Amino acid sequence: MTAYKAHEAGELDLQERTILTESNRCFGSGLLNVFDPGIAPTVHDLLLMMIVVSDNLATDVIVDRLTPGVSRRPCTTWDLRGYG
C-alpha cells in the first residue's frame, strides 16, 4: 500500500525497471532468486511478485527503493509506535 501511495504522490514510477544481480539474491520465499541475473522487472512487476507469491527478493528491492521517510510514513500515520 505504501508503494502505491508513493506512486500516487509522484514519488515512485511503477514502470521504472531494476536490473537484478547476484547481490540481490536473498534467503526466503519467492521465484526471483531462481531467475538468471540480468532480468529487469518493473516496480509494478516487483510489487506483484511481492504480494502474490510473497517474494522476499522483490520485497527487499521495493523497500530499498522507497526512501526511509516514505517507508516509515504509514507507521507515523497509523501511530504504530516502535515500528517507524
Side-chain angles (χ1 to χ4, degrees):
M1 187 164 62
T2 300
Y4 289 109
K5 289 208 174 271
H7 171 69
E8 287 176 359
E11 299 168 344
L12 184 65
D13 179 2
L14 298 181
Q15 297 308 310
E16 176 186 323
R17 292 190 176 272
T18 300
I19 298 172
L20 302 182
T21 65
E22 278 295 323
S23 67
N24 293 114
R25 294 194 189 276
C26 64
F27 179 77
S29 63
L31 297 172
L32 291 175
N33 277 318
V34 299
F35 293 145
D36 291 331
I39 66 169
T42 64
V43 167
H44 182 258
D45 297 335
L46 293 169
L47 289 169
L48 286 174
M49 294 296 284
M50 185 177 103
I51 294 165
V52 175
V53 297
S54 195
D55 194 295
N56 288 10
L57 189 154
T59 302
D60 288 350
V61 171
I62 292 296
V63 168
D64 289 346
R65 172 60 184 80
L66 295 173
T67 63
V70 170
S71 58
R72 285 191 208 109
R73 192 177 299 148
C75 298
T76 305
T77 302
W78 300 327
D79 198 25
L80 300 175
R81 294 183 178 108
Y83 291 96

